[in-house]
Amino acid sequence: MYGMINGAMEEMVRMHHGDEAWARIRARAGIDVEVFMSTEAYPDDVTYRLVAAASDELGASRDDVLCAFGEHWITYTASEGYGGLLAANGATLPEFLAELPNFHARVAMIFPALQPPRFACSDVADASLRLHYWTKRRGLAPFVVGLVRGFGRRFGTEVEVRLVESRDAGADHDVFDVRWAPGAAATGAA
Ligand code: HEM
């Protein structure tokens, strides 16, 4: 995955656990890259090793690390110059989710070698929908849970997200039930 992903993980760890924790995680993961270049592609294995090492070092499950990382990703991308891209995708949580299927096509204009996830929405109601997620990668459903929570925070909207169909349990793809506080459609991003 592009170095931006690993750089965001690094920022999250340094911010919440300090520089020494990051040094230990990098060593435990056996990674000798000093600085991740945002626009350079690294093997996916680098990211998975960092998640595993962070989990061991911080005493949190891998799923919890990925979920926290998803939440952090939304603030990270907004602060790294992609705020405009996020803002253009919708001004409320429901709007943003409805437009999510088209989002990474725009990201791919900046990162041409992107191997993006694919999203679709179904069962759209006033305060809920089902979010469908396809990827060639494994084990990233908790990242999506964190991302959706991160949107909730971005839009100041209470949101609940639950994995209801799982590829790990034999489903064709992951499906999330997403529910938000009624009235969120009227709440814009700060
Ligand atoms: C401006 C904001 C964003 C940027 C710049 C961005 C960019 C990226 C990049 C570079 C990757 C690594 C994939 C690769 O290198 O092949 C990635 C992966 C991913 N992105 Fe985004 N992204 C953004 C926002 C989002 C949002 C809003 C979601 C919504 C749920 C999302 C969901 C994911 C997921 C789940 C992956 C993991 C890869 C996979 O599932 O196979 N991203 N994104």
Side-chain angles (χ1 to χ4, degrees):
M1 289 195 249
Y2 275 103
M4 196 188 167
I5 291 267
N6 304 323
M9 172 89 68
E10 174 177 350
E11 186 198 73
M12 178 179 82
V13 170
R14 285 189 195 272
M15 200 181 261
H16 298 293
H17 304 281
D19 296 343
E20 285 178 12
W22 174 250
R24 286 196 302 274
I25 288 166
R26 206 163 61 93
R28 195 187 268 264
I31 286 167
D32 52 13
V33 177
E34 293 272 345
V35 177
F36 291 108
M37 306 302 290
S38 285
T39 53
E40 192 176 303
Y42 296 81
D44 282 7
D45 177 52
V46 170
T47 310
Y48 283 102
R49 268 157 48 205
L50 285 172
V51 171
S55 154
D56 293 345
E57 193 63 45
L58 304 174
S61 70
R62 284 166 205 212
D63 285 6
D64 284 348
V65 169
L66 279 167
C67 189
F69 180 44
E71 286 196 51
H72 185 73
W73 182 241
I74 299 298
T75 17
Y76 180 82
T77 46
S79 71
E80 284 293 297
Y82 300 95
L85 203 59
L86 289 169
N89 203 60
T92 67
L93 178 72
E95 260 178 45
F96 195 96
L97 290 172
E99 278 300 312
L100 197 53
N102 306 317
F103 187 81
H104 280 86
R106 282 179 224 126
V107 175
M109 290 182 201
I110 308 168
F111 297 97
L114 194 76
Q115 295 183 298
R118 193 156 68 78
F119 292 99
C121 296
S122 72
D123 306 87
V124 180
D126 283 350
S128 67
L129 56 71
R130 293 239 151 157
L131 182 65
H132 300 253
Y133 164 55
W134 291 265
T135 170
K136 71 173 193 73
R137 303 182 171 98
R138 302 297 305 197
L140 297 181
F143 180 50
V144 176
V145 170
L147 283 160
V148 176
R149 288 190 187 146
F151 300 141
R153 218 180 26 215
R154 174 175 164 83
F155 294 114
T157 302
E158 263 180 60
V159 61
E160 255 177 54
V161 46
R162 214 160 39 89
L163 182 64
V164 289
E165 285 176 42
S166 162
R167 200 151 61 113
D168 286 347
D172 164 72
H173 62 279
D174 293 319
V175 183
F176 303 87
D177 180 74
V178 184
R179 292 176 185 269
W180 55 88
T187 314

